[in-house]
Amino acid sequence: MSRVDAHHHIWDLTVREQSWMAGPEMDPIRRSFSIDDLAPQAAAADITATVLVQTVGLVDETVEFLEVAASNDLVAGVVGWVDLAAPDVADALTGLQARPDGSYLKGIRHQVHDEPDVDWLLRPDVQRGLAAVADAGLVYDLLTKPPHLPAAIETVRALPGLTFVVDHISKPAIGDPLDPWATDLRQLAALPNVTCKLSGMVTEASWTDWKPSDLQPYADVVLDAFGPDRVMFGSDWPVCLLAATYADVVQAAETLTANLTPPEREAVFTSTATRTYNL
């Protein structure tokens, strides 16, 4: 069965630094990673298409990623970055989509979880930017932590014409109590224009001794709240390498979804991402 990895990154440290990569604990991934590094691991896991996701707040990176997608059969779509708060955000989106490789732009993301204001999404200028993303026919990836979920709920409710995708199940700390994260995530899932990535969990658990059973309660909340047809697998490679190999992450996702029916697993591993991102 061909499968989609709906969330991974690449970066070239000779082009720019990754400012989020601070501290000695990041040493295992403090090197450049290219799509050629991912390709054999994806092939071994029967991954035939991927979504390449932004890592920094620069349009230049988005342009580079579109060029990668246009020149590589593995990358089927790009989630890029524009300044949502800028007055010319609509023009920026139009410019990206007008490029020869602009059809690979499927969504936009911002590092909301790094914003000190947990209500950043509710700022009027940001809301105007999100409306421009909807007008452009693109998806918006929500990169949040649990404290940002109330604002995310209000934002998703306010913009029913925009499809949202929750990255990394909103990054609950694995091992902490499920609530309030679970209650807020269920409120978010009750809104029809949002889906969720089953991704990023291994790096929210103990990097050295996590096991799938640690992740299962959180995955169960996601699958129950959204339903498999609104859940998609993502590896979060190469960030996942801090805690697990690519094969480990794929195997964990298979374990977490083992109780699903074959059509439900097909949704998680292929059709939800294909439909949501129009791959």
Side-chain angles (χ1 to χ4, degrees):
M1 179 183 74
S2 63
R3 301 193 284 191
V4 177
D5 179 349
H7 196 107
H8 75 88
H9 311 285
I10 58 174
W11 53 75
D12 185 344
L13 296 185
T14 68
V15 174
R16 72 179 60 85
E17 290 296 316
Q18 300 285 323
S19 60
W20 55 272
M21 207 181 293
E25 66 274 11
M26 293 291 170
D27 286 349
I29 59 171
R30 203 185 310 278
R31 65 177 180 85
S32 298
F33 290 90
S34 73
I35 199 67
D36 291 336
D37 295 320
L38 175 61
Q41 300 174 77
D46 295 323
I47 302 288
T48 58
T50 71
V51 178
L52 174 57
V53 180
Q54 65 88 221
T55 66
V56 295
L58 291 171
V59 173
D60 287 351
E61 182 194 59
T62 302
V63 170
E64 294 158 10
F65 282 4
L66 293 173
E67 292 170 346
V68 168
S71 63
N72 189 284
D73 290 339
L74 183 59
V75 179
V78 170
V79 173
W81 183 91
V82 294
D83 183 356
L84 290 173
D88 63 347
V89 59
D91 292 338
L93 292 168
T94 299
L96 288 169
Q97 291 180 303
R99 292 173 49 86
D101 48 21
S103 63
Y104 288 98
L105 185 65
K106 306 299 183 180
I108 296 298
R109 186 176 85 150
H110 178 79
Q111 272 85 344
V112 176
H113 69 9
D114 289 337
E115 294 289 344
D117 178 7
V118 295
D119 290 331
W120 183 86
L121 285 164
L122 298 176
R123 283 174 33 176
D125 52 355
V126 174
Q127 293 270 309
R128 285 194 298 271
L130 291 171
V133 174
D135 290 342
L138 299 172
V139 170
Y140 184 73
D141 270 37
L142 281 164
L143 180 56
T144 54
K145 291 183 176 179
H148 304 88
L149 281 173
I153 293 164
E154 193 171 336
T155 298
V156 172
R157 187 179 289 122
L159 293 161
L162 179 56
T163 296
F164 292 85
V165 180
V166 180
D167 288 352
H168 312 329
I169 70 172
S170 200
K171 299 175 78 74
I174 304 299
D176 279 4
L178 292 177
D179 278 325
W181 164 80
T183 297
D184 288 340
L185 198 76
R186 288 183 186 279
Q187 285 190 51
L188 195 58
L191 301 167
N193 55 318
V194 59
T195 64
C196 188
K197 289 180 184 176
L198 200 63
S199 63
M201 290 185 286
V202 296
T203 47
E204 298 301 321
S206 169
W207 293 0
T208 55
D209 61 1
W210 70 272
K211 50 192 181 299
S213 59
D214 300 330
L215 315 180
Q216 192 74 60
Y218 303 84
D220 288 347
V221 168
V222 170
L223 290 164
D224 180 63
F226 287 92
D229 63 336
R230 288 196 292 147
V231 175
M232 63 183 86
F233 163 73
S235 68
D236 199 28
W237 181 92
V239 179
C240 69
L241 299 178
L242 294 167
T245 67
Y246 191 85
D248 288 339
V249 172
V250 174
Q251 179 58 58
E254 291 171 349
T255 299
L256 297 175
T257 57
N259 289 333
L260 300 182
T261 66
E264 289 172 336
R265 282 197 299 276
E266 192 275 339
V268 172
F269 284 101
T270 306
S271 62
T272 300
T274 301
R275 180 187 72 250
T276 302
Y277 287 116
N278 190 28
L279 302 181

